[in-house]
Amino acid sequence: MELERTVSENNRKVMVAMDVNSWEKALALADQLQGSGCWLKVGMELYNAAGAGIIRELKDKGFPIFLDLKLHDIPNTVESAVRVLAGYGADMLTIHCSGGHDMMARAVQATHEVKKQKNAEERMKIIGITVLTSLDEERLQQDLGVGRTLPDQVVALAELGQKAGIDGVVASAQESSILRRHVGPDFVVITPGIRPKGSETHDQARTLTPKEALEAGSSYLVVGRPITQAPNPRQALEQLWD
């Protein structure tokens, strides 16, 4: 019983990336994971294929939803988009920290206003993208012209986001322990690029295992193909902790 409780608690820290291209595939995958305690991440592929209705459908199955749309535009446009998206029932939404302080602050303000208008118990949390986990330091500096080291860039963007009032950031687990020293224990750190031992890294440049990531200070772990492409996704989720 204690082992089952531990696995269940760990599952609540997992966000399964629903990187599928149809409503039907998403629901089939959700049915296999229902009751496990995990979150579902709805990214651009599924959102664009199925529309906003998929969020409510997945919420009705009991899943918390991480809406990963990575908004990045002028402040007014992002604020307006957040007002719409906050009405769909997602629990978290991503925007790019590199959009700047004003853009992030206005996104957060929009979630507070929607919560008040709807008399909701919780508002949709805003999560900032720092540096994509597909980038390494060489690409960051040479391709994008960023003068800081990769960890310094992650910390700088996270601190900017915290000042703007966002609830957390997305960052590689390799930066989680560094972030914790700067943003404190309550700031959410969501870590993509999680790979169980022995699995392929695919297009992720900075990866850690689930246990390593939690020990480093990550709040939530995004796991995609190791679960979604497994013959038995529910079993693959449980085996993350082996």
Side-chain angles (χ1 to χ4, degrees), residues 6-114:
T6 300
V7 170
S8 178
E9 287 301 315
N10 283 339
N11 286 352
R12 290 186 174 88
K13 300 173 184 177
V14 176
M15 296 173 160
V16 177
M18 305 287 282
D19 295 330
V20 294
N21 60 8
S22 75
W23 184 289
E24 293 76 19
K25 291 177 183 178
L27 294 187
L29 183 56
D31 286 342
Q32 295 180 76
L33 295 170
Q34 195 166 12
S36 66
C38 72
W39 288 59
L40 298 182
K41 182 179 83 74
V42 175
M44 286 184 282
E45 181 181 12
L46 177 56
Y47 185 85
N48 288 329
I54 194 65
I55 298 170
R56 177 52 57 193
E57 189 79 11
L58 296 174
K59 286 284 290 184
D60 287 346
K61 290 180 177 291
F63 294 97
I65 302 299
F66 177 42
L67 185 57
D68 186 22
L69 298 184
K70 299 182 176 70
L71 303 185
H72 189 178
D73 212 312
I74 62 173
N76 185 65
T77 298
V78 170
E79 178 184 2
S80 298
V82 170
R83 288 182 189 280
V84 174
L85 294 168
Y88 293 151
D91 299 277
M92 296 184 185
L93 170 71
T94 54
I95 66 176
H96 270 283
C97 291
S98 54
H101 181 281
D102 190 28
M103 187 199 82
M104 290 187 283
R106 288 174 65 173
V108 172
Q109 181 61 30
T111 66
H112 284 286
E113 292 174 2
V114 172

Side-chain angles (χ1 to χ4, degrees), residues 19 131-136 139 172 191-195 200-208 222 224-225:
D19 295 330
V131 177
L132 297 173
T133 53
S134 57
L135 293 172
D136 56 21
R139 291 175 181 171
S172 162
T191 300
I194 298 300
R195 294 291 183 267
E200 295 182 15
T201 60
H202 297 290
D203 55 355
Q204 300 288 351
R206 309 190 318 278
T207 67
L208 285 180
V222 177
R225 281 167 283 201

